[in-house]
Amino acid sequence: MSAPHRPPAILGLAGGVACAGASYVASGSAASQGLAAWLQVGAITLLVHATLALAARGRAARWGRRLTTACLAGGFAAALLVPAEAHPILGVPLGSALMMALVGLVPLVALPLCFAWGYDARHPAPQTGLQPEADQRPNPPRGHDAHHHGPT
Amino acid sequence: MLQSAPLQSVARPEVVTVMLAYLAVVIGIGVWATRRTRTATDFFLAGRSLGLFPMAMAAMSATLSGFAFIGGPGLVYSVGLGAVFIVLPLSITNSLSAWVLARPLQALAAERPMLTVPDAIGARFASPAAQGLAGVSIVVACAGYVATNLLALGLVLDAVFGWGLPTSILVGAAVTVAYTVGGGILAGVYTDLFQGSVMALASAAVTVQVLRVGGGITAMANDLMQADPALLAPFGRLSPVAALSWFLVFGIGALGQPHVINKFYMLRDPARLRWYPAVMNAVMAVTLLLFVGVGMVVRALVHRGALAPLARPDDATATFLLGYAPAALAGLVFAGVAAAIMSSVNAFLNVGAAAITHDIPTWVGRRWGSGLTAGRVATLALAVVATVIALRSTVLVAFLGIFGWGLFASTLVPSVAIGLNWSGATRQGAIASIVTGLVVTVGVESLAWAKVVALPAGVSGTALGLVGSIAAFLAVSWVTRSSNDQAVAVERA
C-alpha cells in the first residue's frame, strides 16, 4: 500500500489558498466586500473539502466529505443571499437560521456518524511516507539535517 | 482574546466556598498523579493509557480557555451572531481532525516512539531541522499563551477572593504549576476530566437558567430584533469577511494545535477512536451553550429595561450570574472559568516543555539527562518566565498573547495535516512552511499591534500566516519534488 499522491486534492488546496489570498486583497476595498466574502466562502469550502479528500478514504468518508461541502457552501450562501426580511424561525431571521442549521447543527451530528460508520481499527494507517529506518540511526551531528533519530 | 482587564467582583460566600472546594480537588488530583508519574512517557503522554472519555475531556479542556465563559459571552453581547463564528467551526473540526490526524499519528506511534507533535514532523520528513523549527514555534507560542492565561487566571481569582492581582496571579500559577510539574500531563488529564465536567455542568445549568429568565429562544430573539436587528443577522455586527475569516482560521487552524492533537498519542486502544468525534462534539456543544446564551439573554434583559447597559461587555457573565442565578451556580461557573484556564496552562506548559527538552535538542544533536527530570525542570522554567511576564507587564502579555493560537496554526497545519497525508510533500516544503508561518504571523501581528500597518477588517496576521504557510508548503514541495528522496511511497503492511 503506497502513500497517496492525490493531485486533485492538492489542486483543491491550492485553489483554496488562492481564493483566501484573493479575498484578503479584495477586502482592502470597500467596493469589493461582496466579492471578498464569496471568495472567503470558496476558500473555506475548498480547503475543507480538499483536506478531507487528501486524508479520508472509504464510502463513509466520501459521504462525509460531500455532506460537509454541501453544508458549508449552502449555509454560507444562505447567509449571504437570503433577505433579512424573510420569514423568521423561532424569531431568528431565516438566513441566520439556515446558516446555523447547515454550518453548525447538521455537520455536528452527521459527521461523527459518518466517521464511526467508516471506522475500522483493524486497518491501520493512512500512509505517512515515513522513512522506515530513520529512527534506527544514531543522533546526527549538530546542524545536520539529513536523518531523523528517535526521541530521547 | 483572553481576559486582560479587571473583572466585576463576585466575592460572595457561596462563590468563595465552591471555588475553594474546586481548588482543593485539583490539588488532590495533582498529588495523586504525581505519585503515579515515573517516566517521561507518563509525564508527556500519560503513559499512553487513556480511555476515550478522559482523552476527549482532556482535548476539550485544552481547547477551551476562559474566553468561552467570559470574553465569548461579552463578544456575543457586543456583536451578536458574528461572535458565533469563533465556535461554529467546532461542528467540523473534531471529525476533521479524527480523519486527517488521528490515524496517521497513531500509525506513527505504532511504528516508533513518539513523544511530541514535532516528532511526527521529524519522522515524516526525516528532518531534525523541521522538528526543531516546529519546536521553536511551539515555545514562542507557549510563552505568550501561558503568560496570557496566567493573567486571566489572576483576574478571575481576584474577582472571587479579592486578593489583589499580583497575589492572585501567584496563587493561580502556584497551584497550576505544582500539579503540572509534579504529575505532568497525567495530572493534567485527570484534572481535565474533573475540570471538563465542571465546565460542562456549569454551562448546562446556566443555559437552563438563561432559557428560564429569557422566556425561551423566541422571546429573546424578538427582544434582540427590536433592540438591534443586526445582532441576529447572519454575521451579526461583523462584516461577512471578518466573520468568515474567523471560520477559516479557527476551522483549519484547529488541525495544528499541538496541545490538543497530541492527545491522539495518549489513547490506549485505537478501536476507541470510532466515537471520538461524537463524544467531543457532544461535550463541546454542551459546554459552549453558555458562550451564546449568556450574551443573548443579557442583551435581551437590557432591552427590557431589567438591566442597565453594560459598561464593559466582559461583565455579561458576572452580571447575569449575580443578578439572575443562585450564588452556588455563580461559584460553579467561576470554578469552570478557572478550570478552563488552568487546563489550558497545563497543556501549554506540557507541550512547551516537550519542545524544549526533546524537539529542539533533537535538532541541535544534543540530549538532556533524564526525560522526566528534564521535563519537570523545563516546565518550571517556562512557568516562571510566563509568571514574571504576567506580573511585570500587561502590555507585554497583550503583545505575546496575540501569537499563541495563530502561531500554532500557521506553523504546524501544513506539515502535519497535509504532510502526513500526502506523499508529494517534501522536507524543504515542510521547513519553508514552518519558517513562513513563523515570520509572517510574528511579523504581521507585531506590525499591526504597533500600528505600523493597518490590515483590512477581517484580515489578521494569523490568517495571512496560515494561508502563506500552506502556499509555501505546496509551492516548495512542488519545486523540490524531484529531490524528494524521502517521501517516496513506502510499502507497508
Side-chain angles (χ1 to χ4, degrees):
Chain A
M1 201 162 58
S2 64
H5 195 59
R6 299 185 181 270
I10 297 304
L11 284 176
L13 287 172
V17 166
C19 281
S23 166
Y24 295 138
V25 172
S27 67
S29 160
S32 53
Q33 291 296 308
L35 173 65
W38 281 107
L39 285 167
Q40 197 68 201
V41 171
I44 293 167
T45 310
L46 274 171
L47 285 171
V48 172
H49 182 92
T51 306
L52 279 172
L54 196 63
R57 271 145 259 168
R59 195 162 61 133
R62 273 198 304 278
W63 278 106
R65 192 169 72 233
R66 289 171 186 152
L67 179 79
T68 306
T69 305
C71 283
L72 292 178
F76 291 137
L80 289 166
L81 294 176
V82 175
E85 63 274 13
H87 183 68
I89 297 175
L90 291 174
V92 178
L94 183 61
S96 303
L98 283 173
M99 185 201 70
M100 296 291 282
L102 286 173
V103 179
L105 193 59
V106 174
L108 188 80
V109 174
L111 288 186
L113 297 178
C114 287
F115 182 81
W117 172 31
Y119 185 78
D120 184 353
R122 293 168 303 172
H123 280 185
Q127 299 299 305
T128 55
L130 186 64
Q131 282 269 53
E133 77 282 14
D135 64 337
Q136 305 301 321
R137 296 170 180 163
N139 281 350
R142 187 184 179 98
H144 184 67
D145 191 30
H147 308 294
H148 173 72
H149 62 82
T152 51
Chain B
M1 291 189 179
L2 275 166
Q3 195 64 37
S4 59
L7 288 166
Q8 182 178 344
S9 173
V10 292
R12 307 280 191 279
E14 296 91 337
V15 177
V16 170
T17 303
V18 172
M19 188 64 110
L20 286 173
Y22 160 77
L23 290 173
V25 173
V26 167
I27 291 168
I29 294 172
V31 170
W32 170 80
T34 300
R35 290 178 178 161
R36 289 190 51 182
T37 300
R38 297 187 180 88
T39 67
T41 307
D42 291 338
F43 190 81
F44 289 120
L45 293 178
R48 293 197 174 91
S49 61
L50 296 187
L52 173 62
F53 193 68
M55 177 210 163
M57 292 300 268
M60 181 195 80
S61 300
T63 301
L64 299 181
S65 65
F67 178 78
F69 290 78
I70 304 288
L75 197 60
V76 171
Y77 175 86
S78 300
V79 305
L81 271 188
V84 172
F85 277 75
I86 291 175
V87 294
L88 202 56
L90 288 168
S91 65
I92 60 168
T93 52
N94 295 317
S95 301
L96 198 60
S97 66
W99 263 311
V100 173
L101 300 172
R103 305 305 301 278
L105 289 175
Q106 288 198 326
L108 284 170
E111 292 191 5
R112 62 183 65 196
M114 287 284 146
L115 214 54
T116 66
V117 171
D119 253 342
I121 296 173
R124 162 63 183 88
F125 297 104
S127 171
Q131 179 174 352
L133 282 167
V136 169
S137 72
I138 286 173
V139 172
V140 173
C142 281
Y145 229 164
V146 172
T148 313
N149 275 275
L150 288 178
L151 175 61
L153 183 58
L155 290 164
V156 171
L157 295 180
D158 187 35
V160 174
F161 296 110
W163 291 330
L165 186 57
T167 305
S168 300
I169 290 175
L170 285 172
V171 171
V175 173
T176 312
V177 170
Y179 79 76
T180 305
V181 170
I185 203 66
L186 189 66
V189 164
Y190 285 101
T191 49
D192 284 351
L193 185 59
F194 168 66
Q195 290 165 332
S197 304
V198 169
M199 289 153 62
L201 187 63
S203 178
V206 169
T207 301
V208 170
Q209 194 70 1
V210 162
L211 292 173
R212 197 180 67 75
V213 172
I217 293 173
T218 307
M220 283 190 286
N222 288 336
D223 283 334
L224 292 174
M225 289 298 284
Q226 289 170 21
D228 181 0
L231 290 168
L232 288 184
F235 304 103
R237 285 178 167 171
L238 297 178
S239 72
V241 178
L244 289 165
S245 184
W246 275 354
F247 191 97
L248 178 92
V249 167
F250 286 100
I252 300 297
L255 299 174
Q257 303 301 307
H259 56 298
V260 179
I261 60 181
N262 72 345
K263 305 290 187 291
F264 289 128
Y265 288 146
M266 301 176 190
L267 194 61
R268 183 174 61 236
D269 177 7
R272 295 173 187 236
L273 192 63
R274 176 190 294 270
W275 295 107
Y276 168 79
V279 172
M280 276 292 279
N281 281 6
V283 293
M284 291 199 94
V286 169
T287 306
L288 288 170
L289 286 173
L290 186 151
F291 181 109
V292 182
V294 168
M296 293 286 185
V297 76
V298 171
R299 178 61 82 170
L301 290 169
V302 168
H303 174 70
R304 292 173 195 170
L307 282 177
L310 300 183
R312 292 173 308 180
D314 284 359
D315 287 339
T317 301
T319 301
F320 177 74
L321 291 172
L322 295 178
Y324 295 93
L329 179 55
L332 191 65
V333 171
F334 274 84
V337 177
I341 298 171
M342 292 167 83
S343 56
S344 296
V345 170
N346 168 268
F348 295 134
L349 286 175
N350 194 262
V351 296
I356 291 170
T357 60
H358 178 67
D359 299 314
I360 296 173
T362 296
W363 181 19
V364 298
R366 303 276 172 113
R367 287 172 188 264
W368 282 39
S370 155
L372 180 57
T373 304
R376 283 177 166 154
V377 170
T379 301
L380 188 60
L382 195 56
V384 168
V385 169
T387 305
V388 169
I389 292 172
L391 284 169
R392 301 284 294 191
S393 171
T394 52
V395 175
L396 187 56
V397 168
F399 175 65
L400 291 172
I402 60 180
F403 297 137
W405 203 94
L407 200 53
F408 287 147
S410 62
T411 55
L412 299 182
V413 164
S415 299
V416 178
I418 304 172
L420 291 182
N421 293 290
W422 177 40
S423 68
T426 68
R427 176 191 307 147
Q428 295 89 338
I431 291 172
S433 72
I434 296 168
V435 172
T436 302
L438 198 57
V439 170
V440 173
T441 305
V442 172
V444 175
E445 292 286 15
S446 299
L447 293 173
W449 185 80
K451 299 189 177 6
V452 175
V453 298
L455 298 172
V459 182
S460 64
T462 295
L464 294 176
L466 177 60
V467 170
S469 70
I470 296 174
F473 185 74
L474 298 177
V476 175
S477 289
W478 185 75
V479 168
T480 58
R481 66 194 185 283
S482 59
S483 63
N484 180 17
D485 60 347
Q486 85 281 14
V488 181
V490 176
E491 289 299 321
R492 291 171 26 181

